[in-house]
Amino acid sequence: MADNAPAIVILGNGGLATARRIQQVLPAAQVLGLEGRVQGADHAYAEFGATLRQLYQSGAPIIALCAAGIVIRTLAPLLQEKGSEPPVLAVAEDGSAVVPLLGGLAGVNALAREIASALQVPPAITTSGELRFGTCLLNPPAGYALADLEQGKRFVSDLLGGETVRIEGDAPWLGTAQLPQATDARRTIHVGHALREPAVDELLIHPRNVLVAIGEAGDGLADEVRAVLRQAGIAQPSLAGLLAADAQMADSRVHQAAAQLQVPVRYLAASDSATRLTQTGLALQVLPGPLSIGVAARPLNMTRIGRPRGRLAVIGLGPGARELMVPAVQAELARATDVLGYETYVRMAGPFRDDQVLHNTDNREEMQRARHAFELAAQGRSVVMVSSGDPGVFAMAAAVLEALHEVVDDPAREDWRGVELQILPGVSASLATAALAGAPLGHDFCVVSLSDNLKPWSIIERRLDLAAQADLVLAFYNPISRARPWQLGQALDIVRRHRAADTPVTLGRDVGRPAQALRVVTLGELTPEMVDMRTMVLVGSSTTCTFPRADGGQWVYTPRWYGSKP
Ligand code: SAH
């Protein structure tokens, strides 16, 4: 249930100052700048239309610093399919106008007010009900849920038509609203958790004030929860969340039930469900039944109850450039509470918010870093472990799994096993280098790290010899370093035994980073001095070939066929 961070989209440097002012009141928001036009945004994007449409479809709130018309024309093709709509606003580049455009039910007006007050201008609110009553009745604040939207719309137009209203129950956010209240009104706003059919003249709003502490999780857990709520006479939208036992953290049936019910799960130590309700420390009215139900007087803030299931994501940043980082990784970085990794990569993954804790560690202590990640995640934090390229290619994913494997039977480490572990891929250096050069990996290839830090040199020699013999294209990671100066020379000697001197070799240095350099040489020309630890080496096979590019360089590719051309 990752919250979608708002995107502030700008087209030129002129909008950057306004974007940063908006970011001060919306710290989770990211500034997206048009590539080549904006310097110093949090992310670069290549194409305005595609970016805006993608954000809209992913449900991210959009704050576009450009003319309202541009935003309208760009999103128009998507507006037919009226599903859930994120807030969309146009803001004048100089901050002089804030115009909510879409997402009335997703709180666009509230967002407009917040941004406008930061920019010290009045928001351009156009929603009649909102203007008249100072609040959107159809969009109650967090902690409350509207029972029926269609009925709500009729209700609001009745009030706009001159009907008066009474409030039943506790609706503190309506205290400051300018509603036409009257004690003898026929229309009522009813706030309560009781299961009831809304009367014709009633706007029914449910507070999210009910907890269900679950017992043994079965396959039909969500249905079971629905049934006990019904039996207890409680409306399902009043369910704020589930309480499970720490021992159930890894139980997928619990996660599935929570997803089906669209509520969070929080964990407490007690295995007995009734005791778990007591452990919340809240004043709850406890209802007896097959599952323990606790009812609070006010909506519940689930983030303050028990602890969440911790999460550890091992992510790959790609070679460097933001555009080559997969969207799932970008989303993961936004939701992280803690970021671990080698300092260079942690810096590359930034910028981070003030509330995100960065743990920079030395590159060599991999296992220690992996254990540290589990310790943090087991406390319920959302931890990201960063690697460059892909995390599974000579990087942290295997170390993290090894750390977990070591404790797989350890009863004291049940908390680590409860962590939600996910590995998110990235574009590996060999693939990024190959794409720059053309398609040198277009046929079978073999990936070898030339580092003998964690494996004997003899095994590297053997693998090189056999792979070269098998006529595989070779991708060398960690080709050379100050501590390993001679290995590359020896590796090339082995390869040259099986491969012609005119075999194309692609060298990619700092690919996807500002200092990116690509060079194509032949195996005969290649010397270790051309290579350093930031270089990827792709040695061609017998079929790899080159030809001139229009811009002066060379294309390198390995054809899809082998043997003779089909
Ligand atoms: N997990 C990483 C690889 C880590 S090993 C990945 O999937 O890309 C480190 C080696 O990768 C370096 O010694 C270098 O050979 C290569 N490498 C990593 N990033 C690179 C880049 N941006 N350009 C060229 N080579 C790179």
Side-chain angles (χ1 to χ4, degrees):
M1 235 176 292
D3 277 359
N4 249 324
I8 306 172
V9 186
I10 59 177
L11 285 159
N13 279 327
L16 201 52
T18 304
R20 295 295 181 206
R21 281 171 74 192
I22 297 172
Q23 212 175 19
Q24 274 170 9
V25 289
L26 304 172
Q30 300 279 312
V31 179
L32 279 60
L34 181 58
E35 204 172 56
R37 289 284 186 78
V38 180
Q39 283 80 44
D42 301 333
H43 302 282
Y45 65 84
E47 215 229 305
F48 180 78
T51 305
L52 220 61
R53 285 189 287 270
Q54 194 197 345
L55 286 165
Y56 180 88
Q57 280 167 326
S58 74
I62 299 172
I63 302 155
L65 271 63
C66 62
I70 300 179
V71 182
I72 292 168
R73 252 190 299 279
T74 306
L75 295 180
L78 304 179
L79 301 184
Q80 293 290 344
E81 355 159 347
K82 172 118 185 162
S84 65
E85 188 169 78
V88 179
L89 300 99
V91 174
E93 222 182 48
D94 64 359
S96 62
V98 179
V99 189
L101 295 172
L102 297 166
L105 296 176
V108 73
N109 288 333
L111 193 58
R113 285 209 173 83
E114 207 175 339
I115 294 171
S117 95
L119 300 175
Q120 296 176 318
V121 293
I125 308 271
T126 54
T127 320
S128 334
E130 181 120 6
L131 284 172
R132 183 88 72 80
F133 310 133
T135 180
C136 178
L137 284 176
L138 303 181
N139 183 30
Y144 296 87
L146 188 66
D148 183 337
L149 178 61
E150 287 313 312
Q151 202 197 14
K153 286 180 180 167
R154 280 198 302 279
F155 188 89
V156 172
S157 54
D158 287 351
L159 293 198
L160 286 169
E163 287 286 346
T164 53
V165 66
R166 265 180 312 131
I167 298 177
E168 282 178 12
D170 191 20
W173 77 98
L174 293 180
T176 54
Q178 297 96 47
L179 290 171
Q181 292 196 42
T183 44
D184 61 347
R186 273 186 302 156
R187 300 287 185 281
T188 50
I189 296 174
H190 180 93
V191 185
H193 61 260
L195 179 63
R196 59 193 258 161
E197 276 299 309
V200 264
D201 296 336
E202 190 174 61
L203 181 73
L204 191 52
I205 295 175
H206 299 300
R208 295 187 190 278
N209 63 337
V210 176
L211 286 173
V212 171
I214 59 178
E216 223 26 45
D219 282 332
L221 183 58
D223 284 336
E224 208 183 322
V225 171
R226 288 188 190 106
V228 293
L229 288 174
R230 213 176 310 116
Q231 278 157 30
I234 292 172
Q236 204 199 306
S238 279
L239 180 65
L242 302 179
L243 290 186
D246 284 344
Q248 292 172 307
M249 254 191 207
D251 192 331
S252 59
R253 291 167 303 189
V254 176
H255 314 145
Q256 206 181 355
Q260 283 167 3
L261 295 162
Q262 298 185 318
V263 294
V265 198
R266 305 289 292 194
Y267 296 87
L268 287 155
S271 58
D272 172 66
S273 60
T275 315
R276 233 176 289 139
L277 286 178
T278 324
Q279 276 184 348
T280 60
L282 299 164
L284 297 172
Q285 179 201 351
V286 177
L287 309 181
L291 296 179
S292 308
I293 303 179
V295 181
R298 287 280 172 87
L300 291 160
N301 179 351
M302 291 304 291
T303 62
R304 301 245 175 90
I305 299 172
R307 59 191 147 268
R309 183 185 188 202
R311 180 171 164 86
L312 172 56
V314 189
I315 63 160
L317 298 175
R322 274 278 164 179
E323 304 84 85
L324 295 182
M325 188 189 286
V326 307
V329 165
Q330 300 191 17
E332 196 64 43
L333 286 169
R335 77 189 270 194
T337 58
D338 295 80
V339 183
L340 277 87
Y342 184 44
E343 198 184 335
T344 318
Y345 302 148
V346 171
R347 214 176 313 122
M348 210 162 99
F352 292 100
R353 303 184 301 272
D354 291 345
D355 61 306
Q356 294 180 300
V357 187
L358 311 184
H359 309 258
N360 298 327
T361 45
D362 190 290
N363 204 14
R364 273 170 274 277
E365 333 152 348
E366 279 192 353
M367 289 304 289
Q368 224 168 302
R369 204 189 310 154
R371 293 187 195 107
H372 186 198
F374 276 109
E375 274 156 22
L376 288 168
Q379 293 163 27
R381 306 187 64 90
S382 196
V383 182
V384 160
M385 168 76 84
V386 292
S387 289
S388 78
D390 182 90
V393 178
F394 309 121
M396 285 306 296
V400 163
L401 286 165
E402 192 177 340
L404 186 62
H405 194 180
E406 278 175 359
V407 301
V408 77
D409 296 317
D410 182 352
R413 288 277 71 105
E414 194 178 337
D415 55 341
W416 288 21
R417 292 192 294 276
V419 166
E420 180 182 16
L421 174 63
Q422 203 177 358
I423 321 290
L424 297 175
V427 176
S428 192
S430 55
L431 305 182
T433 303
L436 272 187
L441 305 180
H443 201 82
D444 299 345
F445 66 98
C446 166
V447 168
V448 185
S449 166
L450 295 193
S451 168
D452 57 351
N453 288 340
L454 300 168
K455 60 184 168 184
W457 179 250
S458 59
I459 193 83
I460 300 177
E461 286 192 329
R462 183 170 152 72
R463 288 180 176 178
L464 288 173
D465 188 45
L466 292 170
Q469 233 181 88
D471 202 19
L472 294 162
V473 172
L474 305 170
F476 295 158
Y477 284 77
N478 301 308
I480 198 165
S481 77
R482 233 169 284 151
R484 295 180 288 103
W486 52 264
Q487 283 85 337
L488 177 61
Q490 286 213 7
L492 294 176
D493 288 345
I494 295 168
V495 175
R496 285 186 182 116
R497 280 191 228 141
H498 307 283
R499 237 158 260 187
D502 64 352
T503 304
V505 176
T506 306
L507 303 175
R509 183 169 192 272
D510 277 333
V511 171
R513 301 176 190 167
Q516 168 175 302
L518 183 76
R519 193 166 171 190
V520 181
V521 298
T522 64
L523 186 56
E525 289 162 356
L526 180 62
T527 61
E529 291 69 48
M530 298 174 181
V531 176
D532 68 4
M533 65 183 291
R534 283 145 66 186
T535 309
M536 185 72 228
V537 180
L538 304 177
V539 181
S541 71
S542 64
T543 56
T544 305
C545 53
T546 62
F547 64 95
R549 298 163 84 119
D551 66 6
Q554 285 191 81
W555 286 116
V556 185
Y557 75 102
T558 307
R560 303 267 289 121
W561 47 265
Y562 197 83
S564 57
K565 198 171 173 138

